[in-house]
């Protein structure tokens, strides 16, 4: 798949790591660097800054990577800038516009997020990357990584956006299997709510989690039936307001809330509601990136047994999930430390860095995920879905601008508080899409 693909033994080592707990969401930034065009101080030393998103006070996988790189390269100094995830996109865009963004920046593929590489590159903020990044781009996803053949974000992962669930917590509460149908789902919600617990933890006040929850549900309500729905919307052949699947998705959020599936006060919950709920056993699962289980498990008992589970399909429907590369690394076009930054980004694609990242994050390695045996990992419940191709890429990566995803996030929050209707949210998403 790429010249940086690890050996079979190394790939096995990556995936065999115990998956037990983490949330990958964050970012705040320092200066783009004033230490010379190459980041070289003149005595062989090099320095650059690195901004990434974070959602908790645990050490980010990106922090771990920076430390490992400095350990291996004592003459290099990396200034890390972890930034809160809920405002990360707006933060880095403001920094780019002000000219003080970091040299290396965590981004996302496509156009649908405020940190998306396409609008940032079109604005002239990102440096084109080389062959290493291009060879890591998943086949068929070039349009969300490239402009006129130049790649602006190096993919880091293959993320599955289902429900990360503690099957240990489920079993201790009489739930021996993850719900496979709507009726099983709401029965489980009722039983857990009667015990003061919840099937799902939701950070309703955090836009990214509200949006990811909606997209995870849309996998079964929209994309299982019409995998090309985004292409249809782009061609003007449909709209959000005309889509029964999107209406069902948003109605499901209302039903989950009214059915006691979320924890009390979910509309005001932050990311700590997820971390605490899953680690303390008051909630069974949450719509979070698959690697988040790693960080959370560090605070959970060993018997937590986290698994990535598909959200139950609507009655008569088929299981379907969201899966795609979700995190990229980019270089600031205005960086004065491009040589040092580029060497670091190249290193991130090596087997050594890949193993460090996936030990820390639990996300599947972009360089070799298709070759891994996932049957004894947290991904075992979705192995067949991956093999069958029963998944769609993260929708908002493909949407034309960040305003569409913002309308979805705000809309979900409005549904939780009763201040918005399904029809209003869908109309607002269409308005944000534009002509």
């Amino acid at each position: 798949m790429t010249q940086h693909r690890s050996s079979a033994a190394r790939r096995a080592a990556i995936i065999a790591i115990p998956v037990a707990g983490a949330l990958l969401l964050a970012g705040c930034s320092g200066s783009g660097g004033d230490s010379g065009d190459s980041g070289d101080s003149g005595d062989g030393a090099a320095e650059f800054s690195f901004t990434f998103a974070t959602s908790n006070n645990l050490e980010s996988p990106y922090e771990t990577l920076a430390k490992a790189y400095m350990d291996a390269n004592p003459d290099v100094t990396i200034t890390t800038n972890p930034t809160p995830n809920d405002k990360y996109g707006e933060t880095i865009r403001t920094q780019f516009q002000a000219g003080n963004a970091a040299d290396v920046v965590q981004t996302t593929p496509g156009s649908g997020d405020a940190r998306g590489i396409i609008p940032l590159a079109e604005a002239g903020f990102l440096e084109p990357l080389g062959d290493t990044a291009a060879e890591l781009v998943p086949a068929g996803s070039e349009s969300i990584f490239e402009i006129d053949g130049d790649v602006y974000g190096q993919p880091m992962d293959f993320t599955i956006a289902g429900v990360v669930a503690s099957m240990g917590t489920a079993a201790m509460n009489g739930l021996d299997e993850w719900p496979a149908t709507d009726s099983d789902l709401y029965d489980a919600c009722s039983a857990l709510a009667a015990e003061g617990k919840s099937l799902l933890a939701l950070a309703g006040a955090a836009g990214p989690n509200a949006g990811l929850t909606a997209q995870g549900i849309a996998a079964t309500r929209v994309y299982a039936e019409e995998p090309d729905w985004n292409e249809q919307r782009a061609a003007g052949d449909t709209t959000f307001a005309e889509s029964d699947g999107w209406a069902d998705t948003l109605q499901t959020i209302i039903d989950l809330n009214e059915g006691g599936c979320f924890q009390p006060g979910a509309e005001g919950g932050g990311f700590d509601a997820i971390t605490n709920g899953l680690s303390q056993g008051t909630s069974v699962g949450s719509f979070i990136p698959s690697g988040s289980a790693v960080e959370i498990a560090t605070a959970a008992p060993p018997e937590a047994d986290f698994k990535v589970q598909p959200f139950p399909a609507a009655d008569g429907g088929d299981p379907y999930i969201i899966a795609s590369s979700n995190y990229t690394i980019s270089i600031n076009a205005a960086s004065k430390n491009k040589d040092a930054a580029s060497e670091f980004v190249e290193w991130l694609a090596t087997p050594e860095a890949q193993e460090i990242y996936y030990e820390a994050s639990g996300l599947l390695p972009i360089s070799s995920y298709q070759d891994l045996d996932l049957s004894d990992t947290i991904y075992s419940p979705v192995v067949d879905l991956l093999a069958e191709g029963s998944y769609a890429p993260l929708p908002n990566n493909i949407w034309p601008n960040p305003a569409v995803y913002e309308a979805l996030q705000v809309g979900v929050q409005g549904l939780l508080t009763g201040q918005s209707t399904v029809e209003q949210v869908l109309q607002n998403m269409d308005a944000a899409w534009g002509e």
Side-chain angles (χ1 to χ4, degrees):
M1 174 184 253
T2 167
Q3 65 185 8
H4 295 289
R5 178 175 295 174
S6 58
S7 67
R10 186 172 293 276
R11 290 197 299 268
I14 292 174
I15 204 63
I17 293 156
V19 180
L23 286 172
L24 303 171
L25 311 154
C28 173
S29 165
S31 170
D34 297 314
S35 56
D37 291 342
S38 66
D40 194 321
S41 66
D43 59 0
E47 62 182 70
F48 60 91
S49 52
F50 181 20
T51 286
F52 46 84
T54 186
S55 298
N56 52 46
N57 58 5
L58 300 173
E59 182 172 290
S60 163
Y62 299 108
E63 187 81 36
T64 303
L65 283 166
K67 289 180 179 178
Y69 189 75
M70 287 188 286
D71 286 343
N73 300 274
D75 291 335
V76 175
T77 299
I78 304 175
T79 300
T80 56
N81 304 300
T83 302
N85 185 61
D86 54 353
K87 296 296 182 183
Y88 179 73
E90 293 84 350
T91 299
I92 63 168
R93 179 168 283 275
T94 298
Q95 291 166 347
F96 275 123
Q97 292 170 338
N100 63 354
D103 302 297
V104 179
V105 180
Q106 180 212 356
T107 50
T108 59
S111 305
D113 190 287
R115 73 193 80 176
I117 56 179
I118 299 303
L120 291 174
E122 289 176 340
F125 295 138
L126 302 183
E127 182 77 5
L129 303 179
D131 291 342
T132 297
E135 290 168 0
L136 290 172
V137 173
S141 298
E142 291 82 3
S143 65
I144 59 174
F145 287 88
E146 300 178 2
I147 298 176
D148 296 331
D150 289 326
V151 174
Y152 289 90
Q154 181 168 297
M156 288 291 291
D157 68 290
F158 188 74
T159 297
I160 297 170
V163 177
V164 172
S166 168
M167 298 312 296
T169 297
M172 286 187 287
N173 289 276
L175 186 61
D176 295 327
E177 295 181 342
W178 181 251
T181 66
D182 266 1
S183 58
D184 290 342
L185 173 75
Y186 290 108
D187 286 347
C189 290
S190 297
L192 286 161
E195 299 296 326
K197 300 177 181 179
S198 69
L199 183 68
L200 298 171
L202 175 67
N209 188 243
L212 185 62
T213 297
Q215 291 182 98
I217 297 171
T220 65
R221 271 63 175 171
V222 179
Y223 299 100
E225 297 294 326
E226 299 178 278
D228 64 342
W229 191 89
N230 290 323
E231 289 76 11
Q232 294 181 42
R233 180 64 184 85
D237 295 334
T238 189
T239 65
F240 287 102
E242 295 170 348
S243 169
D244 291 340
W246 273 105
D248 188 16
T249 294
L250 298 184
Q251 183 59 50
T252 297
I253 291 174
I254 295 174
D255 294 343
L256 291 172
N257 195 33
E258 294 178 348
C261 296
F262 301 133
Q263 82 278 11
E267 68 279 1
F271 287 115
D272 58 331
I274 299 174
T275 305
N276 295 338
L278 270 60
S279 63
Q280 297 172 11
T282 56
S283 295
V284 173
S286 181
F287 282 97
I288 50 180
S290 49
S292 300
V294 173
E295 292 177 20
I296 294 176
T298 61
E303 60 271 19
D305 187 24
F306 286 104
K307 298 289 185 183
V308 177
Q309 299 283 2
F311 185 74
D315 289 340
D318 297 319
Y320 213 77
I321 55 175
I322 298 296
S324 61
S325 180
N326 193 38
Y327 299 103
T328 49
I329 299 295
S330 300
I331 295 176
N332 183 353
S335 169
K336 297 180 180 179
N337 305 311
K338 287 181 184 175
D339 288 349
S342 296
E343 289 179 8
F344 175 65
V345 173
E346 286 276 337
W347 175 79
L348 290 176
T350 64
E352 174 192 3
Q354 291 266 294
E355 183 169 342
I356 293 169
Y357 179 64
Y358 301 108
E359 285 179 354
S361 73
L363 295 172
L364 294 175
I366 189 62
S367 62
S368 58
Y369 71 90
Q370 292 176 318
D371 301 328
L372 298 173
D373 180 1
L374 304 176
S375 57
D376 292 323
T377 71
I378 63 166
Y379 299 99
S380 57
V382 296
V383 165
D384 289 344
L385 296 180
L386 291 174
E388 296 163 0
S390 295
Y391 61 89
L394 200 66
N396 73 293
N397 284 347
I398 301 172
W399 294 344
N401 61 70
V404 182
Y405 191 38
E406 177 70 17
L408 176 61
Q409 294 179 29
V410 173
V412 169
Q413 292 170 329
L415 296 177
L416 295 171
T417 60
Q419 295 174 305
S420 297
T421 66
V422 168
E423 292 75 14
Q424 288 171 337
V425 177
L426 296 175
Q427 290 170 3
N428 288 341
M429 293 174 71
D430 282 323
W433 188 291
E435 297 299 328

